[in-house]
Amino acid sequence: AESRGEPARAFREVARRESMGQDFAGAVERVLVGSRLVALRMFGLALLVHASAGGNLSAASDRIARSLIDRARMRRRTRTILAYGLFAANFLAIAPVLAFLVISIQLEEYTDLMLNQPVGHLLIGMAATLVGVGLVAVRRRSSCDRLGEGGVR
């Protein structure tokens, strides 16, 4: 069975280039080192170093594998922390509405103040602005997680 995905295509391309007469190092550099996937770039660099200087390719491959496993673990942790942050931000955005409802039930004057007086309109506008700015800031901070999707840049 043939391999699938971008790594398989990359290795087939290296083999094709080599069969067409391009030297191994040139094919690896062009295809693997130029890949958008970090794993292929790292493996391509290890192959180039091994081809030019010698060394233990197996040990280098093991280090690359450990590095990729650690990187995936960190990525999962980061996503978990970011998901918690987004949940907390969304909850805190809803909290003022819930507080308004609870206080309105306890104090009838509060509803009149907030909905019928200019100072209440100002307070609601300021609160909505601050909540909106906070949500945008949290979402922008959490966008760093999307950097690596589909290959790390």
Side-chain angles (χ1 to χ4, degrees):
E2 270 192 29
S3 298
R4 295 185 201 124
E6 187 171 341
R9 283 190 297 274
F11 287 117
R12 281 194 302 270
E13 178 64 17
V14 168
R16 186 187 70 76
R17 285 174 178 264
E18 213 176 357
S19 71
M20 294 179 68
Q22 187 174 12
D23 67 316
F24 177 73
V28 167
E29 185 173 353
R30 180 78 175 156
V31 177
L32 296 182
V33 177
S35 173
R36 67 184 186 95
L37 293 178
V38 171
L40 287 179
R41 287 196 311 254
M42 290 173 68
F43 188 69
L45 287 173
L47 282 175
L48 289 176
V49 168
H50 178 71
S52 65
N56 189 346
L57 184 59
S58 175
S61 297
D62 286 344
R63 283 193 302 274
I64 290 171
R66 275 194 306 275
S67 170
L68 292 172
I69 290 168
D70 290 344
R71 186 174 174 273
R73 187 177 300 127
M74 288 301 293
R75 178 175 215 83
R76 286 190 302 270
R77 286 181 187 165
T78 301
R79 284 185 178 168
T80 301
I81 292 168
L82 290 174
Y84 171 76
L86 285 172
F87 173 79
N90 289 331
F91 178 78
L92 290 175
I94 294 171
V97 175
L98 297 176
F100 174 78
L101 293 175
V102 169
I103 295 172
S104 294
I105 291 170
Q106 294 177 350
L107 299 170
E108 291 179 19
E109 315 81 56
Y110 184 74
T111 305
D112 181 53
L113 171 72
M114 296 304 279
L115 299 180
N116 298 327
Q117 302 295 323
V119 71
H121 297 157
L122 179 66
L123 290 173
I124 290 173
M126 287 174 32
T129 301
L130 291 173
V131 166
V133 168
L135 282 174
V136 168
V138 167
R139 290 188 192 282
R140 288 186 77 195
R141 295 279 181 189
S142 70
S143 69
C144 67
D145 180 51
R146 295 185 200 110
L147 255 179
E149 292 179 9
V152 175
R153 296 172 192 122

